[in-house]
Amino acid sequence: MATQRISKGKWAFWLLMASVAAIVFALILRPEPVWVDLAPVERGPMEVTILEEGKTRVKDRYLISSPVAGYIHRVQLDVGDAVIPGELLTFVDPTPASILDARTRAEAEARAAAAQAALQSIQQKVQAAEADAEFAQNEYQRLLALEESRFVSTEQLQQAKSTAARAQAILRSARFDEEVAAHELAAAQTRLQISTASSNGQKPAERVAVRSPVNGAVLALVRQSEGVIQAGEPILEVGDPGALEVVVEVLSFDAVKLEPGLGVRLSGWGGPVLEATVRRIEPIGFEDVSALGVEEQRVQVIADMVSPREQWRQLGDGYRVDADFILWQSEDTLQVPTSAIFEYNGASAVFMVESETARHQTVTTGPSNGLMTQVTQGLQEGVRVVRHPGRGLEDGDQVRVR
């Protein structure tokens, strides 16, 4: 009996040892869990933008030059000084005018007639611009009155507001052109008058006044000191700082994604975030060298201010801004980190983690901003996915979070 008990005890011992050995071998041969980084699938606002650096520019710039050859008096204005139409800028003492021969006089009379015709043409454009501006303002006021009754969408109201602002800017530009054409006509007539006085033995004007053609400010002083000056030589540059536009140089690859009317967000200039809209994408590109020495093809994009003048009153000509072109945006969309998405059999896929196990999941994606990507099918909010999945990770692998 004692021998039988010893024999059974040995069998039980060896059976226990064999079980322990099997468990140890199973643990040794079991694959090690893959270390991964996880990120949740979540809902929230998302937008796709193109960020580039731009600068402000006065829309209508006028380079004022000397109407006659002679001796210019010192310009007493400084850059930034305000000017009004007809304001005296400086004097030019003309050199004695020679009597015009028949051909030169005929040319001068033709130039005066051309200036007169140009003025009349611009006056017609001003009337057309006034009609367009009045119609755009009336349309905006009509839609604004319908806003409370919900018969008009916010997008239509914003578009009407933007159209009214552009129409006002076009009207201001047309009026500036009218003022410039009037002064060009006066300059052409002055030459004839002085020459006529010389031919009749009368004393010509002792000095010619150079006046501002527009309402604005001095943007640059080309010639400030007194001295001899030739006809047509530039003196100073004026413009209206209240009519600013933004010039942004974008890569040609990105320029094809833009279109007139696209929203632009301006920041990084030291004030509040401003709104603007794309007015024109220039059809001609140019070559530029980046800070890293890479040759790039770029295109100039022009945007108009939409935000009220009070918000960007401190902006001036040539100021730097950061321009965000808003290609797509949503206030609430399901999104996942772009680093979690990979290509699998021609489709987009991710690895979901359920009970510490990686599961392959095919997804349908939407727009992406580089960091986050919209998911339209295949995932639900709160699901955890693997970021930067390695090549060795497969469906069903055990994972461990770093």
Side-chain angles (χ1 to χ4, degrees):
M1 294 296 293
T3 304
Q4 292 179 354
R5 285 196 298 270
I6 294 173
S7 178
K8 291 180 178 180
K10 289 182 178 180
W11 278 106
F13 173 77
W14 288 112
L15 183 61
L16 178 62
M17 294 298 295
S19 299
V20 172
I23 294 173
V24 171
F25 276 108
L27 293 174
I28 294 174
L29 297 178
R30 185 185 65 176
E32 285 290 331
V34 181
W35 291 92
V36 296
D37 294 322
L38 300 183
V41 179
E42 54 189 7
R43 302 190 68 90
M46 178 182 169
E47 63 181 16
V48 179
T49 64
I50 297 175
L51 175 62
E52 290 288 353
E53 182 178 317
K55 64 179 180 180
T56 58
R57 182 176 69 183
V58 172
K59 287 184 179 180
D60 300 291
R61 310 171 70 96
Y62 300 94
L63 186 62
I64 300 176
S65 57
S66 176
V68 295
Y71 192 87
I72 186 174
H73 293 244
R74 180 177 178 83
V75 179
Q76 301 297 328
L77 297 173
D78 293 324
V79 174
D81 288 349
V83 294
I84 60 175
E87 180 178 348
L88 179 64
L89 303 178
T90 186
F91 285 107
V92 176
D93 295 332
T95 55
S98 59
I99 299 177
L100 300 179
D101 55 36
R103 186 188 69 178
T104 306
R105 176 174 295 279
E107 292 176 350
E109 291 175 349
R111 280 193 291 270
Q116 179 68 38
L119 177 59
Q120 294 175 352
S121 175
I122 293 175
Q123 287 173 345
Q124 295 298 319
K125 293 180 181 179
V126 169
Q127 293 180 4
E130 288 176 346
D132 292 341
E134 182 179 0
F135 175 78
Q137 185 64 26
N138 292 338
E139 181 68 11
Y140 171 64
Q141 293 297 331
R142 184 182 68 84
L143 295 179
L144 188 63
L146 295 176
E147 182 181 15
E148 296 182 356
S149 58
R150 300 183 182 276
F151 284 107
V152 62
S153 65
T154 304
E155 182 179 356
Q156 289 176 317
L157 188 61
Q158 291 294 334
Q159 185 176 3
K161 182 179 178 181
S162 177
T163 302
R166 287 197 299 270
Q168 289 294 333
I170 294 173
L171 176 58
R172 287 197 300 268
S173 178
R175 286 174 175 169
F176 290 154
D177 292 340
E178 181 184 14
E179 294 172 357
V180 172
H183 284 275
E184 289 178 349
L185 174 60
Q189 293 174 342
T190 299
R191 188 183 183 197
L192 282 175
Q193 293 171 358
I194 294 176
S195 175
T196 301
S198 298
S199 62
N200 295 334
Q202 301 175 6
K203 183 179 179 180
E206 296 182 356
R207 58 180 52 176
V208 176
V210 180
R211 301 183 183 275
S212 172
V214 295
N215 185 15
V218 178
L219 302 180
L221 288 175
V222 182
R223 174 71 179 270
Q224 187 174 20
S225 300
E226 62 180 13
V228 177
I229 190 170
Q230 299 299 319
E233 186 175 337
I235 302 174
L236 73 167
E237 190 175 21
V238 298
D240 182 12
L244 286 182
E245 61 186 7
V246 181
V247 183
V248 186
E249 296 178 358
V250 304
L251 295 173
S252 59
F253 174 81
D254 293 328
V256 297
K257 305 175 185 177
L258 308 179
E259 59 183 10
L262 188 71
V264 186
R265 186 171 53 240
L266 305 178
S267 59
W269 62 277
V273 177
L274 304 175
E275 295 181 2
T277 56
V278 175
R279 173 162 52 91
R280 185 176 73 251
I281 299 100
E282 294 188 350
I284 300 176
F286 59 93
E287 187 175 276
D288 191 19
V289 180
S290 68
L292 299 178
V294 180
E295 293 183 354
E296 302 172 334
Q297 288 300 122
R298 291 188 170 269
V299 176
Q300 281 195 344
V301 179
I302 313 300
D304 290 328
M305 293 287 190
V306 174
S307 296
R309 176 76 171 90
E310 291 73 18
Q311 295 184 8
W312 49 274
R313 187 176 298 277
Q314 300 300 323
L315 271 178
D317 182 60
Y319 282 44
R320 173 196 175 278
V321 296
D322 291 330
D324 265 313
F325 297 92
I326 305 174
L327 303 180
W328 178 88
Q329 63 180 351
S330 174
E331 295 298 328
D332 184 24
T333 186
L334 192 66
Q335 51 191 295
V336 66
T338 305
S339 59
I341 302 174
F342 59 92
E343 191 80 10
Y344 182 77
N345 291 337
S348 299
V350 298
F351 277 113
M352 300 189 307
V353 175
E354 299 176 347
S355 302
E356 306 303 325
T357 302
R359 298 298 181 189
H360 181 272
Q361 177 64 42
T362 302
V363 297
T364 303
T365 60
S368 173
N369 59 14
L371 298 178
M372 304 296 291
T373 300
Q374 183 192 35
V375 178
T376 57
Q377 290 182 358
L379 293 175
Q380 295 181 351
E381 183 180 4
V383 175
R384 297 184 302 168
V385 295
V386 178
R387 300 183 61 179
H388 305 288
R391 294 182 177 273
L393 185 62
E394 297 181 357
D395 186 30
D397 286 351
Q398 295 293 315
V399 297
R400 184 177 299 173
V401 181
R402 287 191 176 92

